[in-house]
Amino acid sequence: MTKPLSASESHRVAYINDLMARLNAHTDCLYEDLMDFELEAAQRTAQELIVLLDDVVSSLDESSNSH
């Protein structure tokens, strides 16, 4: 039997699940934009993905610096 998650672990899991849902939604949109040859939309979607991933990298840098 696994032990229940602490409040901080539950928050972390919820954050990761939300992040992955947003990343997946953006990659799905990017795929559709590229397949439909919607280049301007693909560029916007790719930029949004970059911002999201930059936030991830920043948060990982902050976490590794705090340990």
Side-chain angles (χ1 to χ4, degrees):
M1 180 177 208
T2 60
K3 68 177 186 167
L5 295 176
S6 69
S8 65
E9 290 170 325
S10 292
H11 178 72
R12 182 178 156 272
V13 169
Y15 168 76
I16 291 169
N17 287 336
D18 178 65
L19 170 66
M20 295 311 301
R22 290 185 290 148
L23 288 171
N24 287 330
H26 279 77
T27 58
D28 288 348
C29 285
L30 182 58
Y31 174 85
E32 292 296 326
D33 294 340
L34 293 169
M35 291 301 288
D36 294 341
F37 207 62
E38 298 285 342
L39 301 182
E40 288 180 21
Q43 190 170 26
R44 279 191 307 275
T45 302
Q47 289 297 328
E48 291 168 2
L49 260 171
I50 289 168
V51 168
L52 249 170
L53 291 170
D54 279 343
D55 287 345
V56 171
V57 170
S58 293
S59 70
L60 293 172
D61 286 343
E62 290 169 7
S63 292
S64 66
N65 289 333
S66 68
H67 286 97

